[in-house]
Amino acid sequence: MSAEGAEPGPGSGSGPGPGPLCPEHGQALSWFCGSERRPVCAACAGLGGRCRGHRIRRAEERAEELRNKIVDQCERLQLQSAAITKYVADVLPGKNQRAVSMASAARELVIQRLSLVRSLCESEEQRLLEQVHGEEERAHQSILTQRVHWAEALQKLDTIRTGLVGMLTHLDDLQLIQKEQEIFERHRGHTDR
């Protein structure tokens, strides 16, 4: 047995009240076999048990480790949400103002240059003004698209965080251990971006 936990004896293992029992021994599943990655009873983990020599530790310790991982994941999601919120609040308004300023400066330049030859260049002035307007519209559209994208990203992160907090709140130790792979594989793709 590894040094991860004390060797369990018959009847050892604590935990809150009755829960799922070992189908082989009928004892509480109060230990966790790290080699088989599943909860086991004291008899399975003991000297004559099927997990003898495996990495055994108390189920509560494994559940606490998983809880800590989920808390870390929630903190990372919170940081990502804060960064997106800051970007939307601080950067996008500046981009919008720059787009307005650049369009205004471009209009002024076009008007100044063409005012001397207005009678000869009415159609050219109109074409250039429409081009400036089109660029301004594209800039505004790009900013609106980014706002929608980041709002959706914030919503997804909030949904993931809410789900993880719900799991922390509603899953007992064994359910948490059994859903470990599902929890982290389901949310890894969203947070590694």
Side-chain angles (χ1 to χ4, degrees), residues 49-86:
R50 61 186 278 172
C51 294
R52 182 176 53 90
H54 290 180
R55 292 177 292 117
I56 303 295
R57 60 198 296 197
R58 289 204 167 274
E60 293 91 342
E61 292 174 13
R62 179 61 181 155
E64 183 62 25
E65 179 182 289
L66 292 176
R67 283 192 176 86
N68 289 338
K69 283 172 121 176
I70 291 174
V71 168
D72 290 345
Q73 187 85 326
C74 289
E75 288 173 358
R76 281 194 295 277
L77 292 171
Q78 183 63 36
L79 289 174
Q80 287 179 340
S81 295
I84 290 171
T85 300
K86 181 172 174 49

Side-chain angles (χ1 to χ4, degrees), residues 28-43:
L29 299 172
S30 55
W31 296 88
F32 178 76
C33 176
S35 301
E36 295 186 13
R37 303 195 62 76
R38 66 180 186 87
V40 295
C41 74

Side-chain angles (χ1 to χ4, degrees), residues 84 87-88 92 95-96 136-154:
I84 290 171
Y87 178 82
V88 169
L92 290 185
K95 283 185 173 185
N96 189 54
E136 180 183 18
E137 287 298 315
R138 279 191 285 281
H140 283 298
Q141 188 59 42
S142 172
I143 290 165
L144 288 175
T145 300
Q146 287 185 52
R147 282 187 188 278
V148 169
H149 169 77
W150 290 119
E152 288 174 356
L154 279 172

Side-chain angles (χ1 to χ4, degrees), residues 4-188:
E4 287 188 55
E7 182 176 313
S12 65
S14 59
L21 300 178
C22 174
E24 187 177 341
H25 301 104
Q27 295 183 19
L29 299 172
S30 55
W31 296 88
F32 178 76
C33 176
S35 301
E36 295 186 13
R37 303 195 62 76
R38 66 180 186 87
V40 295
C41 74
C44 289
L47 287 175
R50 61 186 278 172
C51 294
R52 182 176 53 90
H54 290 180
R55 292 177 292 117
I56 303 295
R57 60 198 296 197
R58 289 204 167 274
E60 293 91 342
E61 292 174 13
R62 179 61 181 155
E64 183 62 25
E65 179 182 289
L66 292 176
R67 283 192 176 86
N68 289 338
K69 283 172 121 176
I70 291 174
V71 168
D72 290 345
Q73 187 85 326
C74 289
E75 288 173 358
R76 281 194 295 277
L77 292 171
Q78 183 63 36
L79 289 174
Q80 287 179 340
S81 295
I84 290 171
T85 300
K86 181 172 174 49
Y87 178 82
V88 169
D90 297 347
V91 177
L92 290 185
K95 283 185 173 185
N96 189 54
Q97 186 56 45
R98 283 192 297 278
V100 170
S101 297
M102 289 173 65
S104 178
R107 274 194 197 90
E108 287 301 315
L109 184 60
V110 168
I111 291 170
Q112 287 173 11
R113 287 183 177 177
L114 295 179
S115 65
L116 298 174
V117 290
R118 183 171 302 276
S119 61
L120 300 174
C121 300
E122 285 291 333
S123 61
E124 182 65 10
E125 179 184 21
Q126 185 61 34
R127 185 186 73 77
L128 292 172
L129 285 173
E130 286 174 2
Q131 186 177 351
V132 169
H133 179 71
E135 289 299 320
E136 180 183 18
E137 287 298 315
R138 279 191 285 281
H140 283 298
Q141 188 59 42
S142 172
I143 290 165
L144 288 175
T145 300
Q146 287 185 52
R147 282 187 188 278
V148 169
H149 169 77
W150 290 119
E152 288 174 356
L154 279 172
Q155 180 60 43
K156 286 178 184 175
L157 291 174
D158 188 53
T159 300
I160 293 169
R161 188 174 58 249
T162 300
L164 289 173
V165 170
M167 287 181 189
L168 279 175
T169 305
H170 297 99
L171 295 181
D172 63 25
D173 292 351
L174 292 176
Q175 291 171 324
L176 187 64
I177 291 170
Q178 290 165 344
K179 289 183 179 279
E180 173 188 4
Q181 185 173 358
E182 173 189 338
I183 292 169
F184 291 101
E185 283 184 7
R186 181 189 307 165
H187 302 299
R188 184 174 291 123

